[in-house]
Amino acid sequence: MIVLHASFPIQGEKLDEALELADNLVDESNQEPGMIDYRATQDIQDETVIRFFEQYEDGEAFESHTQTDHFQEFEEELGDLLAGEPEILRFDVAEASELEL
């Protein structure tokens, strides 16, 4: 499994536009083959940061995602929305299990 955590600092005046693009990206991405889960959220300490949590069955599913129209559209628009450098972390996971609280 491939897991990504991506953080994007967004210009405050462009936040609504970024959230709309992120919402569409999440909807479309969750329909892709090989996608386990794709989510976006605003940081609770800095609402101008959008965080993505992505889980793919494998590297092929991740690579396929990067070629989709909805990803390409988001990536194309992102440059005009950013307020700083994004941070993207990739985790190659051999095993995952749900924890009980």
Side-chain angles (χ1 to χ4, degrees), residues 52-84:
F52 287 86
F53 298 92
E54 309 167 28
Q55 295 175 317
Y56 302 88
E57 288 179 0
D58 52 31
E60 185 177 316
F62 169 67
E63 288 302 321
S64 178
H65 168 70
T66 65
Q67 301 305 310
T68 62
D69 290 342
H70 48 272
F71 178 82
Q72 296 289 328
E73 177 187 356
F74 181 80
E75 190 174 53
E76 186 177 303
E77 300 289 331
L78 189 60
D80 292 334
L81 305 172
L82 288 173

Side-chain angles (χ1 to χ4, degrees), residues 6-95:
S7 300
F8 297 101
I10 304 296
Q11 298 173 46
E13 67 275 7
K14 300 207 175 181
L15 185 58
D16 288 340
E17 180 182 352
L19 289 171
E20 187 175 315
L21 282 168
D23 187 43
N24 180 62
L25 180 62
V26 169
D27 285 345
E28 295 289 330
S29 297
N30 274 310
Q31 298 176 40
E32 296 173 25
M35 182 65 68
I36 297 171
D37 193 31
Y38 198 96
R39 296 177 187 259
T41 186
Q42 282 179 275
D43 188 294
I44 61 171
Q45 293 182 328
D46 183 352
E47 68 178 16
T48 64
V49 174
I50 299 175
R51 296 184 184 277
F52 287 86
F53 298 92
E54 309 167 28
Q55 295 175 317
Y56 302 88
E57 288 179 0
D58 52 31
E60 185 177 316
F62 169 67
E63 288 302 321
S64 178
H65 168 70
T66 65
Q67 301 305 310
T68 62
D69 290 342
H70 48 272
F71 178 82
Q72 296 289 328
E73 177 187 356
F74 181 80
E75 190 174 53
E76 186 177 303
E77 300 289 331
L78 189 60
D80 292 334
L81 305 172
L82 288 173
E85 288 297 314
E87 178 182 272
I88 303 170
L89 301 172
R90 175 182 166 150
F91 303 89
D92 293 287
V93 180
E95 184 177 317

